[in-house]
């Protein structure tokens, strides 16, 4: 790849496959913008929880849809962390959107077509000038079907649950491994079976199973792909 040629990099895959790790590394090396689209779905979920549209097992979808024009999402770059933190209606919610409570409901919110429509439009706008690495579930299939490089990440559900479990306990959250594994498997099911933009590998995406790859091996592999373009 010529260094002055900016491209779009789409990274999709199951939850906790390390999409954001590789996306952040790439963005840093290439000087690109990194966008975590999962954070946007999580922020909408947090909004619904804060307004009690989600309560226990009850979910008032109609009220959330009616409120969509009031939900303002944007990323504010944090130089210390090296990526943009999620802001919901001008409040930093980067930490709050990562709790297991939000994780337990986010797939239900991500099934709603009106939510997807709003977020996909904003994501396409963010990537208009290329030079972007975006991770999610539908980036290579729906958001940027013409992306120059599409990567589809996979790893076993046990490996992914272990990673998420360590991440959550490191942050001081009280969860059990079984709870995390159940959440990972439930989300896989909902993400791949929903009617609107289900998670699937784009025909022209390159699949990387990182169950047995170190972060360095994975980065080398992806960088080779970038420089081949
Ligand atoms: O990547 P993540 O685990 O933070 O994503 C949270 C949820 O959002 C996930 O269960 C699926 C959904 N999602 C989606 O449907 N489409 C995207 N582009 C990104 C995330």
């Amino acid at each position: 790849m010529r260094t002055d040629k900016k491209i779009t990099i789409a990274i999709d895959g199951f939850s906790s496959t390390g999409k954001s790790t590789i996306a952040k590394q790439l963005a840093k090396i290439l000087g690109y913008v990194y966008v975590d689209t999962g954070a946007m779905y999580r922020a909408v979920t947090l909004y619904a929880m804060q307004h009690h549209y989600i309560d226990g097992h009850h979910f008032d979808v109609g009220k959330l849809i009616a409120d969509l024009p009031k939900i303002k999402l944007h990323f504010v770059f944090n130089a210390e962390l090296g990526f943009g933190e999620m802001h919901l209606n001008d409040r930093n919610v980067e930490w709050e959107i990562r709790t297991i409570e939000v994780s337990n409901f986010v797939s239900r919110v991500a099934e709603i077509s009106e939510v997807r429509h709003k977020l996909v439009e904003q994501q396409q706008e963010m990537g208009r000038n290329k030079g972007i690495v975006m991770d999610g579930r539908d980036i290579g299939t729906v958001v940027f079907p013409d992306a120059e490089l599409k990567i589809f990440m996979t790893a076993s559900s046990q490996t992914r649950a272990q990673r998420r479990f360590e991440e959550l306990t490191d942050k001081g959250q009280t969860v059990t491994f079984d709870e995390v594994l159940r959440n990972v498997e439930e989300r896989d099911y909902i993400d791949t079976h929903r009617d609107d933009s289900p998670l699937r590998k784009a025909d022209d995406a390159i699949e990387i199973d990182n169950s047995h790859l170190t972060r360095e091996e994975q980065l080398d592999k992806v960088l080779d792909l970038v420089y081949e373009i």
Side-chain angles (χ1 to χ4, degrees):
M1 185 185 74
R2 291 203 339 255
T3 46
D4 58 338
K5 180 185 152 203
K6 289 209 179 288
I7 63 166
T8 300
I9 303 177
I11 303 187
D12 288 304
F14 292 96
S15 63
S16 304
T17 40
K19 299 186 297 293
S20 69
T21 304
I22 188 76
K24 279 179 199 158
Q25 287 172 322
L26 280 181
K28 193 168 174 201
I29 293 169
L30 301 171
Y32 281 17
V33 172
Y34 161 61
V35 177
D36 168 7
T37 61
M40 299 170 77
Y41 289 93
R42 286 172 179 273
V44 175
T45 308
L46 181 67
Y47 178 96
M49 289 166 71
Q50 287 171 338
H51 288 76
H52 306 287
Y53 301 158
I54 292 174
D55 229 333
H57 286 284
H58 177 73
F59 181 13
D60 195 332
V61 176
K63 283 200 174 141
L64 176 62
I65 293 174
D67 270 8
L68 282 176
K70 290 196 239 168
I71 302 179
K72 226 174 65 190
L73 304 174
H74 62 277
F75 290 94
V76 177
F77 188 74
N78 178 327
E80 217 168 289
L81 296 173
F83 62 88
E85 292 182 296
M86 188 77 250
H87 282 58
L88 165 63
N89 291 338
D90 299 317
R91 208 169 62 80
N92 186 337
V93 292
E94 185 60 36
W95 191 86
E96 282 166 84
I97 59 170
R98 310 285 167 194
T99 61
I100 189 94
E101 289 78 17
V102 171
S103 298
N104 281 339
F105 247 105
V106 63
S107 286
R108 298 274 308 278
V109 170
E111 280 183 300
I112 305 168
S113 291
E114 288 83 351
V115 171
R116 301 203 71 82
H117 183 80
K118 176 186 166 94
L119 300 195
V120 166
E121 215 167 55
Q122 193 176 341
Q123 289 152 10
Q124 287 172 335
E125 182 56 33
M126 288 189 274
R128 208 151 48 95
N129 298 325
K130 296 187 178 274
I132 194 159
V133 187
M134 194 172 276
D135 81 33
R137 304 293 190 287
D138 58 344
I139 313 305
T141 51
V142 176
V143 182
F144 296 122
D146 297 327
E148 287 84 353
L149 178 61
K150 298 181 186 176
I151 292 169
F152 192 81
M153 312 273 293
T154 61
S156 70
S157 53
Q158 289 280 336
T159 306
R160 292 184 286 125
Q162 186 60 37
R163 287 178 189 155
R164 179 62 54 117
F165 175 70
E166 282 166 17
E167 223 174 83
L168 289 169
T169 46
D170 280 354
K171 284 185 193 157
Q173 295 194 32
T174 323
V175 283
T176 63
F177 174 77
D178 285 347
E179 193 181 355
V180 178
L181 178 63
R182 213 168 35 241
N183 174 258
V184 162
E185 289 177 342
E186 261 171 32
R187 280 205 289 154
D188 285 356
Y189 185 84
I190 301 178
D191 292 347
T192 49
H193 287 78
R194 67 174 173 235
D195 291 334
D196 191 343
S197 336
L199 169 65
R200 67 170 184 85
K201 176 180 164 296
D203 295 335
D204 51 350
I206 295 155
E207 184 165 336
I208 296 181
D209 181 334
N210 66 10
S211 303
H212 305 291
L213 289 181
T214 64
R215 283 185 178 195
E216 291 72 27
E217 287 167 339
Q218 170 175 276
L219 178 62
D220 285 348
K221 216 173 161 110
V222 177
L223 275 177
D224 282 347
L225 296 172
V226 170
Y227 293 126
E228 271 168 24
I229 288 171

